[in-house]
Amino acid sequence: MKRKQFRIWLLLLSVGAIFAACEGPQGPAGLNGTDGTNGIDGVDGADGNATCMSCHAGDTRENIQAQFSMSVHSSGINAVDYAGGRASCARCHSHQGFVQYANNGEVLGDITNPTAWECATCHGLHKTMEAVDYALRLDDPVKPIFNPEITMDLKGHSNLCANCHQSRRAEPNTTNPGEETFAITSSHYGPHHGAQANVVAGMGFAEIAGSVAYPTAGESKHLNQASCVGCHMAPFDSEEGEGGHSWKPSLLACNTCHDAELTDFNYGGVRTDVMAKLEELRDQLITLGVVAGNDTDGYHPVVGTYPMKQAQAFFNWVGLEEDRSFGAHNPKYVKALLQNSIEAMAAEIDKLP
Ligand code: HEC
Ligand code: HEC
Ligand code: HEC
Ligand code: HEC
Ligand code: HEC
Ligand code: HEC
């Protein structure tokens, strides 16, 4: 059905005329006509059909299907059952919810039969028919949930991702500015499981003062030269099974841009360093009684009221832990957040009786 619609489109374009739809009963199909002459060159200098087929050819689509089947997006294994139907969660947790959000700016109500991502979750209709028009439902910079007064620009197609992969909460001192304490009222407290866009953009975490200066939001090299699609959707690398519509970050992309020969994501040892700092901060928060748990059962915040800085440091720890890039998303910002949080928590521990 969809392929058929597309072929009709192509036919209309190559003949160069649009016929009005005709409502009468259909007669038997006629013989195939002879091929038309080539269309005139499009704006980018390529023939209309060649441009269309570069994305729409059957094998392109089949390859993309195969990549897509590797991704958690296509199974929605964790995301859909639990949260895909709930009106307050569905914009990020199901196909139906995201499409409603993209069309209406909100989800209208609970969804009775939510399903996982499909091609048409992210792709809608072309706007311009140019080669850069991927028919993405949303690719404008987002108004981040943590502060809808400002704009968070992940650059081009990566803005699609930011609609979902963002913090759902402001950091404690933005929520309750200037207060000395902050109440953590739930063992799920935090920015939500995937605040990657905030990390890449360098905004929305708790900028506790300390020895490392915070980089200016929006200026990181990874944001401006790669962003989400530059690393996660780099041309599919069939050897490693990374990039494209698998969304697995592409080591080839790191190596190409860095002119390196890495065999893992630990460029310059930054990943090891970030992992060590995350553990150090977590252990400090355990000492302060803000976090409880162990490696087997996981770690969670202890419901209670804490000095503001401790709540902020917790927000940074859990948000960067759940970001799961271990620094790759924005090495300078992550390093500043962790180092300054660790220094502040060392001072808090010194105050303990
Ligand atoms: C840069 C890649 C790209 C180019 C170039 C492109 N398309 Fe698309 N097009 C897409 C994507 C992605 C979708 C949505 C997902 C899908 O159906 O493949 C889409 C959807 C469509 C649809 C809706 C299909 C459906 O099944 O409902 C039509 C019609 C269409 N394109 C026509 C064209 C025509 C005509 C051209 C050439 C003028 C063209 N496209 C060029 C990527 C492209
Ligand atoms: C602004 C978008 C957004 C909203 C709204 C949202 N989530 Fe999520 N949620 C995400 C993203 C993105 C992930 C996955 C992040 C990742 O894998 O890094 C996620 C992951 C989760 C997970 C963890 C799944 C796992 O991987 O183990 C749970 C549980 C969850 N969300 C529950 C909820 C519930 C319940 C609601 C509504 C009360 C909700 N979410 C609303 C974006 C959102
Ligand atoms: C989670 C969102 C998402 C889903 C689901 C998705 N795409 Fe895409 N797709 C994108 C984005 C973003 C780009 C642009 C990537 C870029 O800028 O490099 C893209 C690019 C494309 C392109 C053009 C470039 C290329 O890779 O050849 C085609 C064609 C396409 N998608 C088809 C599909 C098809 C077919 C499916 C379903 C099997 C699908 N997409 C599912 C987000 C999505
Ligand atoms: C409609 C909301 C939504 C959009 C749009 C979206 N994601 Fe996701 N993404 C999620 C959720 C929710 C999960 C967790 C799925 C689960 O665990 O079941 C997820 C999972 C992931 C994962 C985990 C690994 C995997 O195998 O899939 C990566 C990486 C990812 N997304 C990157 C991206 C990128 C890059 C984009 C933009 C091109 C994007 N996502 C667009 C909501 C979204
Ligand atoms: C500089 C390259 C780069 C950029 C830019 C980037 N990522 Fe990542 N991302 C990574 C790496 C590397 C990992 C860690 C993967 C691992 O450890 O297996 C990762 C991890 C993730 C994960 C967790 C995946 C998992 O399976 O645990 C998600 C979700 C994700 N990124 C989404 C995004 C989104 C959304 C954006 C844009 C806002 C983005 N990333 C930008 C490289 C990048
Ligand atoms: C499109 C280009 C591009 C891509 C793709 C890219 N990077 Fe980078 N990366 C840069 C630039 C530019 C810098 C800043 C260089 C500097 O300051 O020395 C940087 C800096 C870094 C740093 C900080 C280095 C330090 O010592 O502070 C790390 C770590 C890093 N990248 C890892 C990665 C990883 C891992 C990937 C792949 C997942 C990746 N990069 C993909 C361009 C890129």
Side-chain angles (χ1 to χ4, degrees):
M1 169 63 194
K2 290 208 164 161
R3 305 291 321 274
K4 201 163 148 204
Q5 276 176 10
F6 177 71
R7 271 192 231 110
I8 292 169
W9 253 97
L10 281 183
L11 184 72
L12 291 178
L13 273 164
S14 60
V15 175
I18 308 242
F19 300 99
C22 148
E23 299 268 296
Q26 234 184 328
L31 294 174
N32 284 340
T34 48
D35 286 351
T37 49
N38 278 344
I40 47 163
D41 285 356
V43 267
D44 56 356
D47 280 350
N49 282 3
T51 306
C52 306
M53 292 320 274
S54 67
C55 295
H56 284 284
D59 55 350
T60 309
R61 289 183 57 111
E62 276 156 26
N63 288 340
I64 292 176
Q65 275 293 354
Q67 296 160 21
F68 184 48
S69 64
M70 298 166 59
S71 164
V72 179
H73 286 146
S74 72
S75 65
I77 191 159
N78 308 306
V80 179
D81 284 354
Y82 182 57
R86 289 161 64 179
S88 59
C89 321
R91 63 174 267 192
C92 307
H93 277 273
S94 66
H95 165 72
Q96 290 79 2
F98 186 68
V99 172
Q100 283 192 27
Y101 176 73
N103 290 338
N104 307 320
E106 62 178 332
V107 175
L108 303 171
D110 287 353
I111 293 159
T112 53
N113 190 14
T115 53
W117 288 236
E118 51 188 76
C119 311
T121 308
C122 301
H123 295 285
L125 286 172
H126 291 287
K127 290 178 196 153
T128 62
M129 288 288 177
E130 288 170 277
V132 289
D133 178 6
Y134 291 65
L136 295 174
R137 286 191 188 274
L138 294 173
D139 62 4
D140 289 337
V142 302
K143 301 214 167 302
I145 296 173
F146 84 85
N147 179 3
E149 306 292 309
I150 62 172
T151 300
M152 184 164 75
D153 188 357
L154 272 295
K155 313 291 173 188
H157 297 154
S158 298
N159 282 313
L160 173 82
C161 324
N163 283 285
C164 299
H165 288 271
Q166 61 164 314
S167 173
R168 297 184 57 217
R169 245 167 232 105
E171 59 91 14
N173 193 50
T174 306
T175 312
N176 295 341
E179 288 184 14
E180 281 183 5
T181 59
F182 184 86
I184 294 181
T185 55
S186 146
S187 62
H188 295 296
Y189 177 73
H192 201 64
H193 309 275
Q196 289 91 1
N198 303 78
V199 180
V200 176
M203 54 171 77
F205 279 78
E207 299 192 3
I208 301 171
S211 67
V212 187
Y214 290 97
T216 310
E219 289 195 351
S220 99
K221 300 285 187 218
H222 280 176
L223 168 66
N224 288 291
Q225 297 185 13
S227 201
C228 320
V229 298
C231 289
H232 288 265
M233 297 187 81
F236 185 68
D237 174 359
S238 53
E239 254 165 58
E240 301 294 332
E242 291 172 351
H245 283 72
S246 79
W247 285 283
K248 301 200 187 315
S250 162
L251 194 57
L252 188 60
C254 323
N255 281 335
T256 307
C257 193
H258 280 279
D259 196 13
E261 289 179 10
L262 302 172
T263 52
D264 60 28
F265 296 121
N266 198 7
Y267 181 73
V270 168
R271 189 179 167 97
T272 313
D273 181 51
V274 167
M275 282 177 163
K277 287 198 165 75
L278 279 168
E279 266 186 40
E280 185 179 353
L281 180 56
R282 181 200 67 208
D283 289 345
Q284 288 177 318
L285 290 165
I286 291 174
T287 305
L288 290 162
V290 185
V291 168
N294 54 55
D295 283 346
T296 323
D297 304 327
Y299 296 87
H300 60 86
V302 180
V303 169
T305 298
Y306 300 99
M308 181 57 85
K309 272 190 189 161
Q310 295 185 20
Q312 288 185 295
F314 171 74
F315 186 96
N316 289 343
W317 172 73
V318 73
L320 295 174
E321 182 79 23
E322 294 191 325
D323 167 74
R324 309 206 296 296
S325 77
F326 303 104
H329 284 158
N330 191 341
K332 285 195 176 134
Y333 186 56
V334 170
K335 193 176 169 204
L337 289 169
L338 287 176
Q339 185 59 37
N340 294 339
S341 298
I342 286 169
E343 287 169 11
M345 290 311 97
E348 294 290 299
I349 289 169
D350 284 345
K351 288 190 218 156
L352 288 177

